[in-house]
Amino acid sequence: CYLLHAAKPFDFDTSTGLTDEQKEFQKVAFDFAANEMAPHMAEWDQNEIFPVETMRKAAQLGFGGIYVRPEVGGSGLSRLDTSIIFEALSTGCTSTTAYISIHNMCAWMIDTFGSNELREKFCPDLCSMEKFASYCLTEPGSGSDAASLLTSAKLQGDHYVLNGSKAFISGGGDTDVYVVMCRTGGKGPKGISCVVVEKGTPGLSFGKKEKKVGWNSQPTRAVIFEDCAVPVTNRLGSEGQGFNIAMKGLNGGRINIASCSLGAAHASVLLARDHISVRKQFGETLSNSQFLQFKLAEMATRLVASRLLVRQAALALQEDRPDAVSLCSMAKLFATDECFSICNQALQMHGGYGYLKDYAVQQFVRDIRVHQILEGTNEVMRMIIARDLLTES
Amino acid sequence: MAARVLVGVKRVIDYAVKIRVKPDNTGVVTDGVKHSMNPFCEIAVEEAVRLKEKKLVKEVVAVSCGPQQVQETIRTALAMGADRGIHVEVSGKDYDSLGPLQVSKILAALAKKEEASLIILGKQAIDDDCNQTGQMTAALLDWPQGTFASEVAVEGDKLKVIREVDGGLETIKINLPAVVTADLRLNTPRYATLPNIMKAKKKKITNVKPGDLGVDLTSRLEVLRVDEPPQRQAGVKVETVEDLVGKLKEAGRI
């Protein structure tokens, strides 16, 4: 079909509009993804391996604390730089990159809201991934209604004593540093504080490792506090600021998760394109089918649209613009939905092969399915956006 | 102890790209195509940076010849640990006809100007596969050469180079100053780290014109035509050894 040969090839270029420096960051991330992650993503998924050594290699390149300040070991880059990096890494293994992004979010929270002592105590090890972190907000009784969380933190002398449990914690049980939102005051968001709890603290234990559809290269467990005493000096920010800190962390987290979805979709579109260029039925390659050509065009268009929105949201966040929170929610909502649909269609284009674990596309589908759910469900994203639209300013 | 190392880095079409010949058969399509540092040049940069880390050389200077875009390639070398860069400005028709002879004249002139005592290059570029620049540079400078290096060790004011040759591995000892060309197994190039990429922004790249170095860029070669390799033909199955021998004789192979 002449359509495929006439024009210059669109190499699904992800680097248009980036600075030279950003292109360099992206190149390192793509190379690392292709060489260190992609060859192992299936094994990590099937054997549920938490790839500590590979993540530490990534940390050596500066990926452990990408937007953490350099004086405590971070790379001091912008939210847009971060989005570009996670998008590229995600093409190698979405599940592992998603965990790295959660780890980064926790490191940033400590760097931004922790005392200098806390920052110096935790950030260098987190940036080097000598230690790993987990973000603990969700509970069995409070998911979308996060502000109704029940884990209590009663002040006793110079310690908070924590009681309660967190659910679905990424990295839980294998990580070393837990950033925990807990109730130090009354009901609602203003009664919540944020404390850092270290593994090994008496009273900290973990539930069984969950069996998941995807994200299998990171363990997920309940985190249980039974009279777990945490120094008051481990608190981030002030009492009652915890919910605010958690949400600020999630704004960035949402861009990161959306970026991971972009990477998975990008990889899937390339896989689908390559497959239909080779697979023949009815005497010709599938790429000669106008239906599939149109489908591929739609997938690519929606991927580019998602990418533009995510990068704009990143810019808005790093410039602290008034519309940043809404944009981050919009980006997370749009990109995770669109990219799941794209990966799913890429699987469909593979026919029966798409359903086999020998082919990577099914893992991208399974891994990004959860992006529509965590870090705020896409329903909650709509709540945030609607509230913003309907509130009189 | 070599004070200054010159490392040549070439910007080539990325190894993973599917090459297409231009419709007018004058060359391959480069517009809008992904380019990267020649893989053997990456290995050369890595070796130079390792020598610096072992404190066997003081300064690593990355050199590239070409238009504005080659600065990206120099920046990659800087991000890997080179100290500064030299961009030799060559563009247009001069760049299209730039080949090993001109590049080696440029490198020889730069080596004298920069008082370099070691030049490390990739053994060949993956676009033209010439495998000539290192050897020509050594000849122009009248320096010894250690080509296809799979190992390089400094021993006083000499270099021990283990070369990968058809017969196996050859170990030679050459005096400094010298030219070394890197083969695949010399090392595994490091990833640039995010901090190093940012530091690279502050490292200097100086611009130089070939004329300033007294180099004449006129090519002695003219590319007549570029074609795709012939399509692979289907084979023929034979029943017996006699048939096979008969067919080979027919085809003039034996």
Side-chain angles (χ1 to χ4, degrees):
Chain A
C1 169
Y2 83 93
L3 274 176
L4 289 180
H5 301 294
K8 245 168 44 177
F10 173 60
D11 256 344
F12 298 103
D13 188 0
T14 52
S15 63
T16 30
L18 301 186
T19 64
D20 283 345
E21 215 184 31
Q22 285 167 339
K23 288 182 190 172
E24 282 289 332
F25 298 149
Q26 190 185 51
K27 180 179 181 308
V28 179
F30 267 127
D31 287 347
F32 189 85
N35 298 331
E36 308 290 334
M37 297 169 85
H40 307 290
M41 70 177 247
E43 191 205 344
W44 292 340
D45 170 62
Q46 288 180 38
N47 298 339
E48 296 187 13
I49 296 171
F50 189 46
V52 170
E53 283 322 306
T54 303
M55 289 193 287
R56 285 191 172 139
K57 267 195 205 170
Q60 273 172 25
L61 303 186
F63 295 151
I66 301 176
Y67 47 110
V68 169
R69 285 174 282 180
E71 65 258 27
V72 287
S75 302
L77 298 187
S78 72
R79 300 307 184 124
L80 178 55
D81 299 332
T82 306
S83 170
I84 291 159
I85 290 168
F86 284 144
E87 181 184 347
L89 285 178
S90 189
T91 60
C93 177
T94 304
S95 164
T96 306
T97 306
Y99 171 72
I100 294 174
S101 77
I102 291 170
H103 174 93
N104 267 263
M105 176 172 69
C106 296
W108 174 82
M109 288 162 75
I110 298 174
D111 178 38
T112 307
F113 298 102
S115 62
N116 281 331
E117 288 78 23
L118 273 188
R119 292 173 69 220
E120 278 158 29
K121 180 175 179 195
F122 290 114
C123 290
D125 281 342
L126 290 178
C127 291
S128 68
M129 284 186 160
E130 181 61 39
K131 298 207 166 129
F132 292 95
S134 285
Y135 177 92
C136 305
L137 174 65
T138 298
E139 298 181 357
S142 56
S144 293
D145 190 8
S148 69
L149 64 85
L150 294 174
T151 298
S152 61
K154 289 199 167 53
L155 186 62
Q156 283 179 18
D158 56 0
H159 278 69
Y160 290 116
V161 177
L162 268 59
N163 274 288
S165 62
K166 297 293 183 183
F168 301 136
I169 302 306
S170 301
D174 284 21
T175 51
D176 313 281
V177 176
Y178 295 81
V179 179
V180 181
M181 272 48 77
C182 49
R183 193 167 297 287
T184 47
K187 282 205 196 137
K190 293 211 168 65
I192 295 170
S193 301
C194 179
V195 296
V196 178
V197 184
E198 292 185 76
K199 189 173 183 197
T201 306
L204 175 67
S205 63
F206 306 97
K208 72 173 192 352
K209 186 174 169 191
E210 308 287 5
K211 297 196 203 103
K212 307 191 297 290
V213 164
W215 272 34
N216 289 319
S217 71
Q218 26 165 324
T220 305
R221 293 188 178 89
V223 176
I224 302 156
F225 305 95
E226 292 166 299
D227 290 333
C228 179
V230 176
V232 168
T233 45
N234 274 23
R235 191 188 67 229
L236 300 184
S238 46
E239 269 193 22
Q241 198 190 356
F243 193 72
N244 189 273
I245 294 171
M247 292 306 109
K248 287 207 160 98
L250 281 183
N251 286 331
R254 285 163 189 168
I255 293 174
N256 297 342
I257 283 296
S259 305
C260 292
S261 287
L262 293 177
H266 178 81
S268 300
V269 169
L270 292 180
L271 288 171
R273 181 198 57 184
D274 290 345
H275 180 79
I276 66 172
S277 302
V278 160
R279 172 73 175 176
K280 276 187 171 168
Q281 286 289 269
F282 307 112
E284 44 180 22
T285 55
L286 297 186
S287 54
N288 279 346
S289 149
Q290 192 177 61
F291 180 82
L292 290 177
Q293 290 170 4
F294 282 13
K295 251 302 127 334
L296 198 67
E298 286 162 15
M299 286 156 68
T301 304
R302 287 150 68 202
L303 173 55
V304 173
S306 301
R307 182 179 295 130
L308 289 172
L309 179 49
V310 172
R311 289 186 180 175
Q312 269 306 303
L315 276 173
L317 188 63
Q318 75 194 34
E319 290 168 15
D320 205 20
R321 298 210 300 251
D323 56 351
V325 173
S326 261
L327 270 178
C328 290
S329 305
M330 289 177 172
K332 196 268 192 190
L333 165 61
F334 190 82
T336 57
D337 275 350
E338 287 298 318
C339 291
F340 178 75
S341 167
I342 291 166
C343 289
N344 199 27
Q345 283 176 16
L347 189 157
Q348 182 75 5
M349 285 181 169
H350 279 71
Y353 297 103
Y355 209 59
L356 302 181
K357 287 199 172 175
D358 307 274
Y359 288 73
V361 69
Q362 46 75 37
Q363 189 174 338
F364 286 117
V365 172
R366 288 187 289 109
D367 278 342
I368 69 165
R369 178 60 183 89
V370 74
H371 296 195
Q372 297 166 280
I373 299 171
L374 40 65
E375 304 221 5
T377 59
N378 285 2
E379 289 74 22
V380 168
M381 296 304 101
R382 290 170 168 89
M383 283 166 60
I384 295 171
I385 299 162
R387 180 186 64 201
D388 212 34
L389 291 169
L390 292 170
T391 304
E392 304 283 354
S393 52
Chain B
M1 206 273 249
R4 187 170 289 133
V5 186
L6 235 54
V7 182
V9 295
K10 187 178 181 186
R11 180 175 181 264
V12 297
I13 294 178
D14 187 84
Y15 78 91
V17 167
K18 189 160 188 285
I19 307 292
R20 284 156 359 124
V21 174
K22 286 203 274 211
D24 62 4
N25 294 98
T26 56
V28 300
V29 177
T30 54
D31 266 353
V33 171
K34 182 164 183 243
H35 283 67
S36 338
M37 188 189 291
N38 182 40
F40 295 108
C41 298
E42 280 183 2
I43 297 173
V45 173
E46 174 66 25
E47 197 62 22
V49 173
R50 286 188 190 188
L51 287 174
K52 194 178 92 155
E53 286 169 347
K54 287 185 212 156
K55 298 207 189 328
L56 295 170
V57 306
K58 285 221 194 77
E59 195 189 31
V60 176
V61 182
V63 181
S64 195
C65 306
Q68 184 60 22
Q69 293 96 310
V70 307
Q71 294 218 357
E72 286 166 22
T73 314
I74 300 175
R75 289 257 168 249
T76 305
L78 296 175
M80 285 173 70
D83 297 292
R84 61 182 168 89
I86 299 176
H87 170 199
V88 182
E89 292 167 359
V90 180
S91 53
K93 286 252 175 312
D94 284 337
Y95 183 58
D96 291 338
S97 62
L98 192 69
L101 181 58
Q102 297 92 328
V103 173
S104 41
K105 287 179 182 173
I106 292 171
L107 290 176
L110 277 175
K112 290 194 190 124
K113 183 165 179 275
E114 297 287 335
E115 292 174 341
S117 37
L118 178 57
I119 300 177
I120 310 183
L121 307 174
K123 71 171 178 180
Q124 67 197 59
I126 61 171
D127 50 9
D128 54 26
D129 280 335
C130 284
N131 183 358
Q132 296 168 358
T133 306
Q135 294 86 335
M136 284 180 172
T137 309
L140 288 170
L141 288 166
D142 197 25
W143 286 5
Q145 54 183 266
T147 54
F148 308 103
S150 65
E151 203 182 298
V152 174
V154 175
E155 292 183 0
D157 58 350
K158 296 192 202 305
L159 280 183
K160 184 183 94 176
V161 179
I162 299 182
R163 308 177 59 231
E164 292 202 4
V165 296
D166 286 348
L169 296 174
E170 180 193 54
T171 308
I172 60 172
K173 218 178 231 185
I174 52 178
N175 292 329
L176 286 166
V179 175
V180 168
T181 72
D183 207 329
L184 188 65
R185 278 162 281 273
L186 178 58
N187 60 52
T188 306
R190 64 194 61 195
Y191 296 104
T193 66
L194 298 182
N196 283 347
I197 292 172
M198 292 188 294
K199 281 190 209 139
K201 249 190 4 177
K202 303 196 184 90
K203 293 180 182 174
K204 234 173 151 274
I205 299 180
T206 33
N207 292 7
V208 170
K209 291 193 175 43
D212 299 340
L213 299 170
V215 171
D216 162 30
L217 289 179
T218 322
S219 177
R220 274 68 167 163
L221 301 173
E222 186 195 333
V223 173
L224 298 174
R225 198 185 155 83
V226 176
D227 283 301
E228 293 225 356
Q231 291 284 9
R232 195 177 161 174
Q233 298 300 320
V236 172
K237 271 195 175 154
V238 292
E239 297 290 307
T240 67
V241 174
E242 286 78 15
D243 283 348
L244 176 61
V245 173
K247 288 248 185 272
L248 287 172
K249 279 192 175 155
E250 255 174 54
R253 298 295 188 203
I254 52 170

